[in-house]
Amino acid sequence: MDKFVIRGGNPLLGTIRISGAKNAALPAMAAALLTDEPVILENIPQVRDIETTRKLLAAMGAEVELGYGRAHHRTTLCCRNLISPEASYELVKTMRASTLVLGPLVSRCGTARVSLPGGCAIGARPIDLHIKGLERLGAKITTEHGYVEASADRLKGTEIVFDKITVTGTEDLLMAATLAEGQTVIQNCAREPEVADLAELLNKMGAKIEGAGTPTIRVKGVDKLHGAKHRIIPDRIEAATFIIAGALTDGDLNVTECNPDHLGALLQKLQEVGIKTRNTKDSVRVEGNGTLKAADVVTEEYPGFPTDMQAQFMALATQAEGTSIVTENIFENRFMHAQEMVRMGANIKIEGSRAVVRGKTQLSGAAVLASDLRASASLVLAALVADGETIIDRVYHIDRGYEHIEEKLRGVGAQIKRIGEIFPKRRGSGAA
Ligand code: EPZ
């Protein structure tokens, strides 16, 4: 398994270009299942979860071209001949977002067999709300042998109110409703920009969706959707990660090809910490000013402070003067990065859903373990300011959602390198 070796102490100086949003690209690829015509998606990030989704769709019979040429990061998907509307445990266990195919498959093929995602490092993350919503739309659903089996002659539009706000639950049902008979009104929807981006693609495909990005989404079902071309929005979480890196290392970093309008909660929190940024319509320039003030953070659904930026903020809080209280309201086990930072010298106490971070503490390089995607990113941030060398193991977690992160960071002065396995696997030894 690959590792990162990072030597801390360098301020990040220069420009980092942001890639397309993984969490917008995944539902967009699933949306291609809704039509037998080609769907072209641009600005696709070159990350592991995209490759997993390509495999998932290809296993169903979809033709998926994926290219990362210099000029474009593009995929062309054609789901004309879906031979097996199924998402196997082998693939779903590596990426729970595979459940995004459930709604499109039931709607397009009238049947779906999708593995239940099982547990996850950051929390139970059930999909009961996806299932309840599809049943409200008329799908017959059974769950046995670890699989969800769903069937419907044709889904019927209805009123749905989510018990809890769920991002992929909103996206799953939104896609299912596009081909349902009649009107569907979904309330208590997620308002993340990735939901609005998906709706924009679906409307380009001929869907009739209003209200995406607000708590209430209305969908007028249509008989058929056609192909379309769409550019995926920038990754706001990647942008936030690098903005925090610029602030943390007391650097001068210009984060480009991002959308500051999607970063309101973070930019406001950085001002509280004492960091001002200079924004244009597609860039954020962050300049460290030597001192960071402690600030409290409570994660909420969008437009509140995102849970996907909680670990990265915690790294920043270890370098801020004073006590920061970080409250995680979305997932029940999303503090695994904390103990790894404590091993680097941070002063963090976990009290239920709250982490009490006392700063400023000098971090020292250590061997640490990545546990999930955003926790790994936070350990990279901590390593960038630690004294000495940090070795981060299991960086495949970070490869799931950050495109060439070590190259992007090296390009602005970070001392980071990837070390592959000491003894590369023998050819044909199975696991990728
Ligand atoms: C999406 O996950 C993102 N993933 C996550 O990003 C992100 O952390 C999360 O939204 C919250 O913003 C993608 O978009 C692919 P939820 P999702 O359904 O949709 C509970 C990353 O780092 N819930 O909004 O799976 C759930 O347990 C990833 O890029 C139910 O109880 O999250 C959680 O407590 C990590 N039943 C809360 O709702 C359900 O049926 C929010 O989860 C669904 C969710």
Side-chain angles (χ1 to χ4, degrees), residues 307-373:
T307 174
D308 290 352
M309 298 187 199
Q310 178 259 104
Q312 300 91 311
F313 182 82
M314 191 180 288
L316 185 68
T318 67
Q319 301 308 299
E321 293 297 341
T323 299
S324 303
I325 310 279
V326 178
T327 305
E328 173 55 59
N329 279 334
I330 307 294
F331 291 110
E332 60 271 31
N333 186 35
R334 203 170 197 176
F335 284 142
M336 282 165 295
H337 42 282
Q339 286 321 315
E340 297 302 304
M341 289 183 197
V342 166
R343 297 186 60 248
M344 297 172 74
N347 180 340
I348 306 171
K349 296 264 179 315
I350 305 295
E351 298 163 359
S353 66
R354 291 177 1 141
V356 181
V357 186
R358 288 187 176 83
K360 172 173 181 169
T361 50
Q362 174 55 53
L363 300 182
S364 58
V368 292
L369 203 54
S371 54
D372 62 84
L373 171 54

Side-chain angles (χ1 to χ4, degrees), residues 143-224:
T143 48
E144 50 191 18
H145 309 303
Y147 277 79
V148 177
E149 308 220 356
S151 62
D153 293 337
R154 184 179 184 185
L155 296 176
K156 281 196 178 18
T158 186
E159 294 254 336
I160 299 169
V161 184
F162 276 117
D163 300 344
K164 277 179 85 162
I165 293 174
T166 160
V167 176
T168 50
T170 301
E171 292 164 345
D172 219 349
L173 293 191
L174 175 57
M175 289 189 277
T178 55
L179 293 176
E181 187 184 337
Q183 162 137 313
T184 300
V185 180
I186 314 173
Q187 302 198 53
N188 202 21
C189 292
R191 298 161 58 186
E192 273 68 3
E194 292 77 23
V195 173
D197 197 46
L198 173 64
E200 193 179 320
L201 165 61
L202 291 167
N203 281 339
K204 285 179 184 172
M205 293 167 66
K208 297 192 181 330
I209 300 167
E210 289 173 359
T214 76
T216 303
I217 298 178
R218 284 178 170 71
V219 187
K220 275 205 187 69
V222 295
D223 294 336
K224 202 170 165 2

Side-chain angles (χ1 to χ4, degrees), residues 64 130 135 166-167 169 183 227 274 300 304 318 348-349 374 381 429:
V64 186
H130 300 232
E135 286 175 329
T166 160
V167 176
Q183 162 137 313
E300 296 292 352
T318 67
I348 306 171
K349 296 264 179 315
R374 306 305 173 183
L381 297 179
S429 61

